[in-house]
Each structure stands twice: as C-alpha cells, then as structure tokens.
Amino acid sequence: AQAAGRLEPPGGEPLRLASAGQLVRRANLKHRGQRDLVVLVIDPRRAGTPVRWEDPGDGQRAPQLHGALPLE
C-alpha cells in the first residue's frame, strides 16, 4: 500500500470500517485473538470515495469505503 500510495480493498470488496464507538465490537467479531491489527484513523472528507453506512451482514450499519483509500 505504501509503494502504491493507496490501500486497495481485497478482491473488489469494500474496505470495512468502524466508527470509534464500534471499533472494539467489530474487531472482536472479525479478528478476535489477532495481535497484529493496525488501527487507521480516516477523515471521511479525504477518503477519496464516499464513505457509505451499510449493513455488513451483522445487522448493524457500519461505514464502508468502496474504492481505494489514498494514504496521503
């Protein structure tokens, strides 16, 4: 991502994000036990593409980014 200057979603999937209030719950749902997680703070106004609030399949709306995230 650093060499390309952007973070590309894997396999055309959206980048699944979390609001500050959702972070711990969503991390535990998807990544429980992982110790190498990195938290990025994203300014939605500078995300490159609109951040959309959608249901990722767990019944709660969460922010998602459909497209690459510029690392600037």
Side-chain angles (χ1 to χ4, degrees):
Q2 287 178 333
R6 64 188 178 280
L7 180 61
E8 294 281 348
E13 292 286 319
L15 289 173
R16 301 195 193 311
L17 311 174
S19 67
Q22 296 172 322
L23 181 61
V24 171
R25 179 182 175 278
R26 292 192 52 79
N28 282 327
L29 276 173
K30 302 290 183 179
H31 307 287
R32 183 178 294 277
Q34 282 186 251
R35 300 220 179 267
D36 60 348
L37 296 179
V38 175
V39 176
L40 301 175
V41 178
I42 299 169
D43 180 346
R45 297 168 297 185
R46 299 181 65 199
T49 58
V51 173
R52 294 188 247 168
W53 286 77
E54 301 172 346
D55 181 350
D58 64 4
Q60 290 195 351
R61 293 171 56 85
Q64 295 188 25
L65 185 68
H66 293 264
L69 176 66
L71 297 184
E72 59 192 39

